Amino acid sequence: MAAIEDIFIKEIPAKIEAAVSEGKWPLFLDAQDSKPVSTYFQYASGVRMVEAKKGLGEAVIQKIKSVEAVQEEWREQLEGAMVQRNQLGSLPGQTFWMHLANTALDFNKTFATEGSALPPDFFDCTKMQDENVKQKYIKGDMDGVWGPEFKIVFTSDFEKDDVVDFLGEQMPLGLLKIFNVVEGGGDDNVTATKRCPGHCK
């Protein structure tokens, strides 16, 4: 796996574009107490957030939902981000934000498995350029076109030195471009631009 690059919060849009140009989705590490990365994406428009920690709690800890139900909820959000609906004002694709928080969710064996509602292909930016692969996440009539602005970002609260230990066996980190967001850079309180650049068409 490539070295983890330290970046400032203001560099997020450019780093999304850089990661996608390499055929990878970005994983941003948000270990600062102020959680600037989470704030950034919460204020961004055209973002569909999935809280992995919430899904883990519902399916594994509280057992109030099945893993399959959580997978289906996440699949619905992914479909919504990928498709520009045949409706006036429909966004041309959105950002699917998988927020891991401080959890080491087991995607590889439980939450993103072959044959499930959420197969693991969505981790692979290059594969997600293939319409046949994207079709795996569509149920019924697509009712639209593939949104050109669709992209996926992952965020985690783990420290740079801990992320591989905690997540290396839980998800395919090798498919992601990892950035560690550090303090400084002059714009720690920067808010998101209206539409982050970079996408897989």
Side-chain angles (χ1 to χ4, degrees):
M1 188 177 68
I4 298 173
E5 180 182 353
D6 290 338
I7 67 167
F8 299 125
I9 187 72
K10 67 181 181 181
E11 296 180 89
I12 283 180
K15 295 305 180 181
I16 293 174
E17 187 173 15
V20 172
S21 70
E22 294 180 27
K24 295 188 174 185
W25 301 125
L27 165 59
F28 295 104
L29 304 183
D30 194 21
Q32 297 177 53
D33 290 340
S34 60
K35 302 300 174 217
V37 180
S38 293
T39 301
Y40 179 93
F41 286 110
Q42 285 168 1
Y43 280 96
S45 62
V47 172
R48 286 178 174 258
M49 178 186 183
V50 162
E51 296 183 79
K53 186 174 183 177
K54 179 174 179 284
L56 176 67
E58 292 173 338
V60 177
I61 300 172
Q62 302 173 47
K63 298 187 183 300
I64 58 175
K65 292 181 180 177
S66 65
V67 169
E68 291 77 16
V70 171
Q71 288 175 313
E72 176 59 20
E73 290 177 2
W74 295 354
R75 184 208 63 78
E76 289 176 356
Q77 290 294 331
L78 181 55
E79 177 180 342
M82 288 193 298
V83 178
Q84 181 177 359
R85 301 294 181 187
N86 292 325
Q87 301 169 358
L88 185 64
S90 178
L91 294 174
Q94 299 175 62
T95 297
F96 178 78
W97 171 26
M98 177 65 76
H99 180 44
L100 305 176
N102 61 348
T103 57
L105 197 74
D106 192 348
F107 287 99
N108 288 342
K109 296 180 181 178
T110 305
F111 283 93
T113 55
E114 292 291 350
S116 73
L118 196 74
D121 303 86
F122 74 95
F123 283 101
D124 192 325
C125 177
T126 300
K127 281 189 176 180
M128 291 297 284
Q129 297 181 61
D130 187 329
E131 293 186 6
N132 291 325
V133 173
K134 288 191 284 190
Q135 194 67 44
K136 293 182 180 182
Y137 302 95
I138 304 298
K139 273 196 174 180
D141 185 5
M142 187 167 131
D143 188 31
V145 297
W146 300 117
E149 295 296 325
F150 164 68
K151 66 186 76 69
I152 297 176
V153 299
F154 298 84
T155 60
S156 169
D157 293 351
F158 288 131
E159 299 275 355
K160 177 181 178 180
D161 293 338
D162 297 330
V163 64
V164 174
D165 289 339
F166 282 114
L167 298 180
E169 295 184 0
Q170 313 300 316
M171 58 193 292
L173 286 182
L175 294 176
L176 307 178
K177 181 78 171 178
I178 307 177
F179 300 99
N180 181 48
V181 179
V182 299
E183 294 183 19
D187 284 307
D188 283 347
N189 295 318
V190 69
T191 55
T193 53
K194 185 157 186 171
R195 188 177 299 153
C196 297
H199 55 79
C200 278
K201 297 180 180 179

